[in-house]
Amino acid sequence: DAKTTQPTSMDCAEGRAANLPCNHSTISGNEYVYWYRQIHSQGPQYIIHGLKNNETNEMASLIITEDRKSSTLILPHATLRDTAVYYCIVRGSTLGRLYFGRGTQLTVWP
Amino acid sequence: EAQVTQNPRYLITVTGKKLTVTCSQNMNHEYMSWYRQDPGLGLRQIYYSMNVEVTDKGDVPEGYKVSRKEKRNFPLILESPSPNQTSLYFCASSFLRDRGLNTGELFFGEGSRLTVL
């Protein structure tokens, strides 16, 4: 099962870009990288996912390295409401067992 | 509205008293799974189900049972709860494959906070 490694915590000034790294060196060719975030003790929410190309949506951008062994989630203009725990996971199309780990606690300060 | 519904949201019980936490989804998802979350340990998978009558263990299955008799429901059963099962529990569901516009994202319930005395 592919697992991920993330820093325990990061902080960012409001209005600046938040760049959250994730290592997934054992990722397989058919596994996608997904990012979720959890605010307080609410259920985690999907942010973005990608296979090998960079992706962007209204919430964030996802940059995946060419060898696919790491990725970076970018929140282009962080706000106080982006303070949350961010989880990076890898998932294949038929993979049932998922590893979330501890995630990264992002704190956005005014 | 597409959602994953867990019940109960809060429960205080005593050691050894069997309980069931229900999970229901209305999105026709094949995949469902249960997680527990404890301070400092992140989300850990308990069990998952790839489809009806197909279930398998996650990282921390001890002390739990599940069943998947219908596609929409995936109850978590604690036959004899113990204090170390005091935790915040989440159910999640998704399509198995990234089909067309479906992202394969997981949809999570709001969580069930369980305390075992």
Side-chain angles (χ1 to χ4, degrees):
Chain A
D1 301 322
K3 293 188 177 180
T4 61
T5 304
Q6 299 177 252
T8 302
S9 64
M10 297 183 65
D11 58 21
C12 175
E14 189 175 22
R16 305 297 291 270
N19 298 289
L20 290 86
C22 179
N23 287 320
H24 30 79
S25 57
T26 60
I27 193 169
S28 300
N30 64 350
E31 289 182 322
Y32 288 75
V33 179
Y34 284 82
W35 283 83
Y36 292 82
R37 76 178 182 184
Q38 184 179 27
I39 298 173
H40 298 301
S41 295
Q42 298 173 19
Q45 294 178 305
Y46 166 83
I47 300 173
I48 198 168
H49 79 294
L51 183 63
K52 51 185 176 182
N53 297 321
N54 298 339
E55 302 287 345
T56 296
N57 63 20
E58 64 278 4
M59 290 182 67
S61 294
L62 174 61
I63 308 297
I64 303 174
T65 57
E66 194 168 340
D67 64 6
R68 302 210 323 122
K69 292 185 177 182
S70 65
S71 61
T72 301
L73 178 75
I74 301 172
L75 308 176
H77 305 287
T79 71
L80 299 179
R81 286 175 294 182
D82 291 323
T83 292
V85 177
Y86 289 77
Y87 296 97
C88 162
I89 69 168
V90 293
R91 186 181 191 195
S93 61
T94 58
L95 185 65
R97 194 155 178 176
L98 299 178
Y99 176 78
F100 274 79
R102 295 178 174 81
T104 297
Q105 169 67 58
L106 174 69
T107 301
V108 180
W109 44 275
Chain B
E1 181 187 355
Q3 59 186 0
V4 177
T5 303
Q6 296 179 223
N7 280 297
R9 294 287 315 282
Y10 302 91
L11 179 64
I12 300 174
T13 188
V14 295
T15 299
K17 186 176 181 181
K18 180 179 178 179
L19 69 92
T20 299
V21 186
T22 64
C23 175
S24 180
Q25 50 92 8
N26 62 358
M27 296 167 278
N28 202 35
H29 287 160
E30 303 98 344
Y31 179 87
M32 298 186 75
S33 61
W34 277 102
Y35 301 84
R36 63 177 288 174
Q37 186 169 37
D38 304 290
L41 296 179
L43 282 164
R44 293 183 292 168
Q45 191 179 47
I46 303 171
Y47 269 95
Y48 63 92
S49 170
M50 304 291 269
N51 215 322
V52 176
E53 302 292 0
V54 181
T55 64
D56 210 343
K57 296 177 181 179
D59 289 324
V60 288
E62 297 78 20
Y64 304 94
K65 286 176 58 177
V66 293
S67 68
R68 187 89 182 273
K69 294 184 172 63
E70 304 165 284
K71 198 171 188 179
R72 65 183 293 127
N73 296 323
F74 190 44
L76 180 69
I77 303 158
L78 286 74
E79 294 272 5
S80 183
S82 62
N84 64 13
Q85 292 179 297
T86 292
S87 189
L88 178 59
Y89 291 87
F90 289 101
C91 179
S93 71
S94 77
F95 289 114
L96 265 181
R97 294 178 181 79
D98 188 358
R99 318 170 175 170
L101 293 179
N102 290 316
T103 64
E105 71 186 84
L106 284 166
F107 289 80
F108 282 83
E110 294 181 318
S112 296
R113 190 170 291 278
L114 172 65
T115 300
V116 183
L117 302 176

Short mmCIF file of all heavy atoms in Angstrom, two decimals, chain A residues 52-102:
data_model
loop_
_atom_site.label_atom_id
_atom_site.label_comp_id
_atom_site.label_asym_id
_atom_site.label_seq_id
_atom_site.Cartn_x
_atom_site.Cartn_y
_atom_site.Cartn_z
N LYS A 52 -0.76 12.65 -13.02
CA LYS A 52 0.62 13.05 -13.33
C LYS A 52 0.71 14.48 -13.83
O LYS A 52 1.77 15.08 -13.76
CB LYS A 52 1.25 12.10 -14.33
CG LYS A 52 0.44 11.85 -15.59
CD LYS A 52 1.13 10.79 -16.43
CE LYS A 52 0.28 10.44 -17.66
NZ LYS A 52 0.91 9.38 -18.46
N ASN A 53 -0.38 15.01 -14.32
CA ASN A 53 -0.36 16.39 -14.76
C ASN A 53 -0.73 17.32 -13.61
O ASN A 53 -1.40 16.92 -12.67
CB ASN A 53 -1.36 16.60 -15.89
CG ASN A 53 -0.99 15.78 -17.11
OD1 ASN A 53 0.18 15.66 -17.44
ND2 ASN A 53 -2.00 15.21 -17.75
N ASN A 54 -0.29 18.54 -13.68
CA ASN A 54 -0.68 19.52 -12.69
C ASN A 54 -2.17 19.82 -12.85
O ASN A 54 -2.70 19.80 -13.96
CB ASN A 54 0.14 20.79 -12.85
CG ASN A 54 1.63 20.55 -12.64
OD1 ASN A 54 2.01 19.56 -12.00
ND2 ASN A 54 2.45 21.42 -13.18
N GLU A 55 -2.83 20.06 -11.75
CA GLU A 55 -4.25 20.31 -11.76
C GLU A 55 -4.56 21.58 -10.99
O GLU A 55 -3.85 21.93 -10.04
CB GLU A 55 -5.02 19.14 -11.12
CG GLU A 55 -4.79 17.79 -11.75
CD GLU A 55 -5.48 17.65 -13.10
OE1 GLU A 55 -6.36 18.47 -13.41
OE2 GLU A 55 -5.12 16.71 -13.85
N THR A 56 -5.64 22.23 -11.40
CA THR A 56 -6.10 23.44 -10.70
C THR A 56 -7.61 23.44 -10.66
O THR A 56 -8.26 23.07 -11.64
CB THR A 56 -5.59 24.71 -11.42
OG1 THR A 56 -4.17 24.75 -11.35
CG2 THR A 56 -6.15 25.97 -10.76
N ASN A 57 -8.15 23.82 -9.53
CA ASN A 57 -9.59 24.06 -9.45
C ASN A 57 -9.80 25.34 -8.66
O ASN A 57 -8.84 26.08 -8.38
CB ASN A 57 -10.34 22.86 -8.86
CG ASN A 57 -9.93 22.53 -7.44
OD1 ASN A 57 -9.38 23.37 -6.73
ND2 ASN A 57 -10.20 21.30 -7.03
N GLU A 58 -11.04 25.59 -8.28
CA GLU A 58 -11.35 26.86 -7.62
C GLU A 58 -10.75 26.95 -6.22
O GLU A 58 -10.66 28.02 -5.64
CB GLU A 58 -12.86 27.07 -7.55
CG GLU A 58 -13.61 26.05 -6.71
CD GLU A 58 -13.89 24.76 -7.45
OE1 GLU A 58 -13.44 24.61 -8.62
OE2 GLU A 58 -14.55 23.89 -6.86
N MET A 59 -10.36 25.83 -5.67
CA MET A 59 -9.82 25.83 -4.31
C MET A 59 -8.30 25.89 -4.27
O MET A 59 -7.71 26.52 -3.38
CB MET A 59 -10.27 24.58 -3.55
CG MET A 59 -11.74 24.55 -3.21
SD MET A 59 -12.15 23.07 -2.27
CE MET A 59 -11.27 23.35 -0.74
N ALA A 60 -7.66 25.14 -5.18
CA ALA A 60 -6.22 24.95 -5.04
C ALA A 60 -5.60 24.49 -6.34
O ALA A 60 -6.30 24.19 -7.31
CB ALA A 60 -5.96 23.91 -3.95
N SER A 61 -4.27 24.40 -6.31
CA SER A 61 -3.51 23.81 -7.41
C SER A 61 -2.71 22.65 -6.87
O SER A 61 -2.30 22.65 -5.70
CB SER A 61 -2.57 24.83 -8.05
OG SER A 61 -3.29 25.86 -8.67
N LEU A 62 -2.51 21.65 -7.73
CA LEU A 62 -1.73 20.48 -7.35
C LEU A 62 -0.60 20.33 -8.35
O LEU A 62 -0.84 20.24 -9.57
CB LEU A 62 -2.62 19.23 -7.36
CG LEU A 62 -1.94 17.90 -7.14
CD1 LEU A 62 -1.24 17.85 -5.77
CD2 LEU A 62 -2.95 16.75 -7.24
N ILE A 63 0.62 20.32 -7.80
CA ILE A 63 1.80 20.15 -8.64
C ILE A 63 2.40 18.78 -8.32
O ILE A 63 2.71 18.51 -7.16
CB ILE A 63 2.85 21.24 -8.36
CG1 ILE A 63 2.23 22.63 -8.46
CG2 ILE A 63 4.03 21.08 -9.31
CD1 ILE A 63 1.70 22.97 -9.82
N ILE A 64 2.51 17.92 -9.32
CA ILE A 64 3.08 16.59 -9.14
C ILE A 64 4.39 16.53 -9.89
O ILE A 64 4.47 16.90 -11.06
CB ILE A 64 2.12 15.51 -9.67
CG1 ILE A 64 0.76 15.61 -8.95
CG2 ILE A 64 2.71 14.11 -9.46
CD1 ILE A 64 -0.31 14.68 -9.49
N THR A 65 5.44 16.07 -9.21
CA THR A 65 6.74 16.00 -9.87
C THR A 65 6.72 14.99 -11.01
O THR A 65 5.87 14.09 -11.04
CB THR A 65 7.84 15.61 -8.87
OG1 THR A 65 7.49 14.34 -8.27
CG2 THR A 65 7.98 16.66 -7.78
N GLU A 66 7.67 15.13 -11.90
CA GLU A 66 7.68 14.27 -13.09
C GLU A 66 7.82 12.79 -12.73
O GLU A 66 7.22 11.94 -13.38
CB GLU A 66 8.84 14.69 -14.00
CG GLU A 66 8.74 14.11 -15.41
CD GLU A 66 9.72 14.75 -16.37
OE1 GLU A 66 10.21 15.87 -16.08
OE2 GLU A 66 10.01 14.13 -17.40
N ASP A 67 8.59 12.49 -11.70
CA ASP A 67 8.73 11.09 -11.28
C ASP A 67 7.59 10.64 -10.39
O ASP A 67 7.54 9.48 -9.99
CB ASP A 67 10.07 10.86 -10.58
CG ASP A 67 10.21 11.64 -9.29
OD1 ASP A 67 9.22 12.28 -8.85
OD2 ASP A 67 11.29 11.64 -8.70
N ARG A 68 6.67 11.53 -10.09
CA ARG A 68 5.46 11.27 -9.29
C ARG A 68 5.75 10.86 -7.86
O ARG A 68 4.86 10.40 -7.16
CB ARG A 68 4.58 10.21 -9.97
CG ARG A 68 4.16 10.57 -11.36
CD ARG A 68 2.84 10.03 -11.81
NE ARG A 68 2.54 8.70 -11.34
CZ ARG A 68 1.46 8.38 -10.61
NH1 ARG A 68 0.59 9.31 -10.29
NH2 ARG A 68 1.25 7.14 -10.25
N LYS A 69 6.93 11.08 -7.40
CA LYS A 69 7.24 10.66 -6.03
C LYS A 69 6.90 11.72 -5.01
O LYS A 69 6.99 11.47 -3.80
CB LYS A 69 8.73 10.29 -5.94
CG LYS A 69 9.06 9.03 -6.72
CD LYS A 69 10.50 8.61 -6.53
CE LYS A 69 10.76 7.30 -7.29
NZ LYS A 69 12.16 6.82 -7.10
N SER A 70 6.53 12.87 -5.42
CA SER A 70 6.10 13.90 -4.48
C SER A 70 5.15 14.87 -5.17
O SER A 70 5.06 14.91 -6.40
CB SER A 70 7.30 14.66 -3.89
OG SER A 70 7.95 15.39 -4.91
N SER A 71 4.45 15.61 -4.34
CA SER A 71 3.51 16.60 -4.87
C SER A 71 3.42 17.77 -3.89
O SER A 71 3.85 17.67 -2.74
CB SER A 71 2.13 15.99 -5.10
OG SER A 71 1.57 15.49 -3.89
N THR A 72 2.86 18.87 -4.37
CA THR A 72 2.66 20.05 -3.55
C THR A 72 1.27 20.60 -3.79
O THR A 72 0.85 20.78 -4.94
CB THR A 72 3.68 21.15 -3.89
OG1 THR A 72 5.00 20.64 -3.67
CG2 THR A 72 3.47 22.39 -3.03
N LEU A 73 0.56 20.81 -2.71
CA LEU A 73 -0.74 21.47 -2.77
C LEU A 73 -0.50 22.96 -2.56
O LEU A 73 0.17 23.35 -1.60
CB LEU A 73 -1.68 20.93 -1.70
CG LEU A 73 -3.05 21.59 -1.64
CD1 LEU A 73 -3.91 21.11 -2.79
CD2 LEU A 73 -3.73 21.32 -0.31
N ILE A 74 -1.05 23.77 -3.44
CA ILE A 74 -0.87 25.21 -3.33
C ILE A 74 -2.22 25.88 -3.12
O ILE A 74 -3.14 25.71 -3.92
CB ILE A 74 -0.21 25.79 -4.59
CG1 ILE A 74 1.16 25.13 -4.82
CG2 ILE A 74 -0.07 27.30 -4.48
CD1 ILE A 74 1.81 25.49 -6.14
N LEU A 75 -2.33 26.60 -2.01
CA LEU A 75 -3.47 27.47 -1.77
C LEU A 75 -2.99 28.87 -2.12
O LEU A 75 -2.18 29.44 -1.37
CB LEU A 75 -3.94 27.40 -0.32
CG LEU A 75 -4.21 26.01 0.24
CD1 LEU A 75 -4.58 26.08 1.72
CD2 LEU A 75 -5.29 25.31 -0.55
N PRO A 76 -3.42 29.43 -3.23
CA PRO A 76 -2.75 30.63 -3.75
C PRO A 76 -2.86 31.87 -2.87
O PRO A 76 -1.92 32.67 -2.82
CB PRO A 76 -3.42 30.85 -5.10
CG PRO A 76 -4.69 30.09 -5.04
CD PRO A 76 -4.47 28.95 -4.10
N HIS A 77 -3.95 32.04 -2.20
CA HIS A 77 -4.14 33.21 -1.33
C HIS A 77 -4.80 32.72 -0.04
O HIS A 77 -6.02 32.75 0.09
CB HIS A 77 -5.01 34.26 -2.01
CG HIS A 77 -4.51 34.70 -3.35
ND1 HIS A 77 -3.40 35.49 -3.51
CD2 HIS A 77 -4.95 34.41 -4.59
CE1 HIS A 77 -3.20 35.69 -4.80
NE2 HIS A 77 -4.11 35.04 -5.48
N ALA A 78 -3.99 32.27 0.88
CA ALA A 78 -4.53 31.64 2.09
C ALA A 78 -5.35 32.64 2.92
O ALA A 78 -4.99 33.82 3.05
CB ALA A 78 -3.40 31.08 2.93
N THR A 79 -6.44 32.16 3.47
CA THR A 79 -7.26 32.94 4.38
C THR A 79 -7.30 32.24 5.73
O THR A 79 -6.90 31.08 5.86
CB THR A 79 -8.69 33.11 3.86
OG1 THR A 79 -9.37 31.85 3.96
CG2 THR A 79 -8.70 33.59 2.42
N LEU A 80 -7.82 32.93 6.73
CA LEU A 80 -7.90 32.33 8.06
C LEU A 80 -8.75 31.07 8.04
O LEU A 80 -8.51 30.13 8.82
CB LEU A 80 -8.49 33.35 9.05
CG LEU A 80 -7.69 34.64 9.23
CD1 LEU A 80 -8.41 35.55 10.23
CD2 LEU A 80 -6.28 34.35 9.70
N ARG A 81 -9.72 31.02 7.13
CA ARG A 81 -10.59 29.84 7.04
C ARG A 81 -9.89 28.62 6.46
O ARG A 81 -10.44 27.52 6.46
CB ARG A 81 -11.82 30.17 6.21
CG ARG A 81 -12.82 31.06 6.93
CD ARG A 81 -13.95 31.46 6.03
NE ARG A 81 -13.48 32.32 4.94
CZ ARG A 81 -14.27 32.86 4.03
NH1 ARG A 81 -15.55 32.59 4.02
NH2 ARG A 81 -13.79 33.64 3.08
N ASP A 82 -8.69 28.82 5.93
CA ASP A 82 -7.92 27.68 5.43
C ASP A 82 -7.14 26.98 6.53
O ASP A 82 -6.49 25.95 6.28
CB ASP A 82 -6.94 28.15 4.34
CG ASP A 82 -7.66 28.59 3.07
OD1 ASP A 82 -8.68 27.97 2.72
OD2 ASP A 82 -7.20 29.58 2.46
N THR A 83 -7.18 27.51 7.74
CA THR A 83 -6.55 26.81 8.86
C THR A 83 -7.25 25.47 9.06
O THR A 83 -8.45 25.41 9.30
CB THR A 83 -6.65 27.66 10.15
OG1 THR A 83 -5.83 28.82 9.99
CG2 THR A 83 -6.19 26.87 11.36
N ALA A 84 -6.48 24.39 8.94
CA ALA A 84 -7.06 23.04 8.96
C ALA A 84 -5.93 22.02 8.93
O ALA A 84 -4.75 22.37 8.77
CB ALA A 84 -7.96 22.82 7.74
N VAL A 85 -6.30 20.76 9.06
CA VAL A 85 -5.35 19.67 8.84
C VAL A 85 -5.53 19.20 7.40
O VAL A 85 -6.66 18.92 6.98
CB VAL A 85 -5.57 18.50 9.81
CG1 VAL A 85 -4.60 17.35 9.49
CG2 VAL A 85 -5.39 18.97 11.25
N TYR A 86 -4.43 19.11 6.67
CA TYR A 86 -4.46 18.72 5.27
C TYR A 86 -3.86 17.32 5.11
O TYR A 86 -2.76 17.06 5.59
CB TYR A 86 -3.69 19.73 4.41
CG TYR A 86 -4.43 21.03 4.29
CD1 TYR A 86 -4.43 21.95 5.33
CD2 TYR A 86 -5.15 21.34 3.14
CE1 TYR A 86 -5.13 23.14 5.23
CE2 TYR A 86 -5.85 22.53 3.02
CZ TYR A 86 -5.84 23.42 4.07
OH TYR A 86 -6.55 24.60 3.98
N TYR A 87 -4.59 16.47 4.44
CA TYR A 87 -4.16 15.09 4.23
C TYR A 87 -3.89 14.83 2.75
O TYR A 87 -4.69 15.20 1.88
CB TYR A 87 -5.24 14.10 4.68
CG TYR A 87 -5.56 14.12 6.15
CD1 TYR A 87 -6.64 14.86 6.63
CD2 TYR A 87 -4.80 13.39 7.06
CE1 TYR A 87 -6.95 14.87 7.98
CE2 TYR A 87 -5.11 13.39 8.40
CZ TYR A 87 -6.19 14.14 8.86
OH TYR A 87 -6.50 14.14 10.19
N CYS A 88 -2.79 14.17 2.51
CA CYS A 88 -2.43 13.73 1.17
C CYS A 88 -2.50 12.21 1.17
O CYS A 88 -1.92 11.57 2.04
CB CYS A 88 -1.01 14.21 0.86
SG CYS A 88 -0.18 13.39 -0.49
N ILE A 89 -3.23 11.62 0.24
CA ILE A 89 -3.29 10.16 0.16
C ILE A 89 -3.10 9.74 -1.30
O ILE A 89 -3.28 10.54 -2.22
CB ILE A 89 -4.62 9.58 0.69
CG1 ILE A 89 -5.79 9.93 -0.24
CG2 ILE A 89 -4.90 10.06 2.10
CD1 ILE A 89 -7.05 9.15 0.08
N VAL A 90 -2.72 8.50 -1.49
CA VAL A 90 -2.66 7.95 -2.84
C VAL A 90 -3.69 6.84 -2.94
O VAL A 90 -3.94 6.11 -1.99
CB VAL A 90 -1.25 7.42 -3.20
CG1 VAL A 90 -0.28 8.58 -3.27
CG2 VAL A 90 -0.78 6.39 -2.19
N ARG A 91 -4.29 6.75 -4.10
CA ARG A 91 -5.38 5.79 -4.25
C ARG A 91 -5.46 5.31 -5.70
O ARG A 91 -5.53 6.12 -6.62
CB ARG A 91 -6.71 6.45 -3.87
CG ARG A 91 -7.85 5.47 -3.87
CD ARG A 91 -9.16 6.12 -3.50
NE ARG A 91 -10.16 5.08 -3.25
CZ ARG A 91 -11.46 5.32 -3.19
NH1 ARG A 91 -11.92 6.54 -3.34
NH2 ARG A 91 -12.31 4.33 -2.97
N GLY A 92 -5.48 3.99 -5.86
CA GLY A 92 -5.69 3.41 -7.17
C GLY A 92 -7.17 3.26 -7.44
O GLY A 92 -8.00 3.40 -6.55
N SER A 93 -7.51 2.94 -8.66
CA SER A 93 -8.92 2.86 -9.04
C SER A 93 -9.64 1.73 -8.34
O SER A 93 -10.85 1.77 -8.17
CB SER A 93 -9.06 2.70 -10.56
OG SER A 93 -8.42 1.51 -10.97
N THR A 94 -8.93 0.71 -7.90
CA THR A 94 -9.59 -0.39 -7.21
C THR A 94 -9.01 -0.61 -5.81
O THR A 94 -9.25 -1.63 -5.19
CB THR A 94 -9.45 -1.70 -8.01
OG1 THR A 94 -8.06 -1.97 -8.20
CG2 THR A 94 -10.15 -1.59 -9.36
N LEU A 95 -8.25 0.35 -5.32
CA LEU A 95 -7.62 0.17 -4.03
C LEU A 95 -8.58 0.51 -2.90
O LEU A 95 -9.12 1.60 -2.86
CB LEU A 95 -6.38 1.06 -3.94
CG LEU A 95 -5.53 0.89 -2.68
CD1 LEU A 95 -4.92 -0.50 -2.65
CD2 LEU A 95 -4.43 1.94 -2.65
N GLY A 96 -8.75 -0.45 -1.98
CA GLY A 96 -9.66 -0.21 -0.88
C GLY A 96 -8.99 0.30 0.38
O GLY A 96 -9.54 1.10 1.11
N ARG A 97 -7.77 -0.18 0.61
CA ARG A 97 -7.09 0.19 1.85
C ARG A 97 -6.43 1.55 1.64
O ARG A 97 -5.64 1.73 0.73
CB ARG A 97 -6.06 -0.86 2.21
CG ARG A 97 -5.54 -0.75 3.60
CD ARG A 97 -5.03 -2.07 4.08
NE ARG A 97 -4.49 -1.97 5.41
CZ ARG A 97 -4.04 -3.00 6.10
NH1 ARG A 97 -4.07 -4.20 5.58
NH2 ARG A 97 -3.56 -2.83 7.32
N LEU A 98 -6.75 2.50 2.52
CA LEU A 98 -6.25 3.86 2.38
C LEU A 98 -5.52 4.27 3.64
O LEU A 98 -5.92 3.93 4.75
CB LEU A 98 -7.41 4.83 2.12
CG LEU A 98 -8.21 4.59 0.85
CD1 LEU A 98 -9.34 5.59 0.74
CD2 LEU A 98 -7.32 4.66 -0.38
N TYR A 99 -4.46 5.03 3.46
CA TYR A 99 -3.65 5.50 4.57
C TYR A 99 -3.67 7.01 4.60
O TYR A 99 -3.15 7.66 3.68
CB TYR A 99 -2.22 4.97 4.43
CG TYR A 99 -1.28 5.47 5.49
CD1 TYR A 99 -1.29 4.91 6.76
CD2 TYR A 99 -0.39 6.49 5.22
CE1 TYR A 99 -0.43 5.35 7.74
CE2 TYR A 99 0.46 6.95 6.20
CZ TYR A 99 0.44 6.37 7.46
OH TYR A 99 1.29 6.82 8.42
N PHE A 100 -4.29 7.59 5.64
CA PHE A 100 -4.36 9.04 5.76
C PHE A 100 -3.22 9.61 6.57
O PHE A 100 -2.78 10.72 6.34
CB PHE A 100 -5.69 9.46 6.39
CG PHE A 100 -6.80 9.61 5.40
CD1 PHE A 100 -7.48 8.51 4.92
CD2 PHE A 100 -7.17 10.86 4.94
CE1 PHE A 100 -8.50 8.64 4.00
CE2 PHE A 100 -8.20 11.01 4.02
CZ PHE A 100 -8.87 9.90 3.54
N GLY A 101 -2.74 8.91 7.54
CA GLY A 101 -1.69 9.44 8.39
C GLY A 101 -2.17 10.60 9.25
O GLY A 101 -3.36 10.76 9.49
N ARG A 102 -1.19 11.39 9.71
CA ARG A 102 -1.50 12.50 10.62
C ARG A 102 -1.76 13.80 9.89
O ARG A 102 -2.25 14.76 10.46
CB ARG A 102 -0.37 12.69 11.61
CG ARG A 102 -0.16 11.54 12.56
CD ARG A 102 1.03 11.80 13.47
NE ARG A 102 1.19 10.78 14.50
CZ ARG A 102 1.77 9.61 14.30
NH1 ARG A 102 2.25 9.31 13.12
NH2 ARG A 102 1.88 8.74 15.29
#
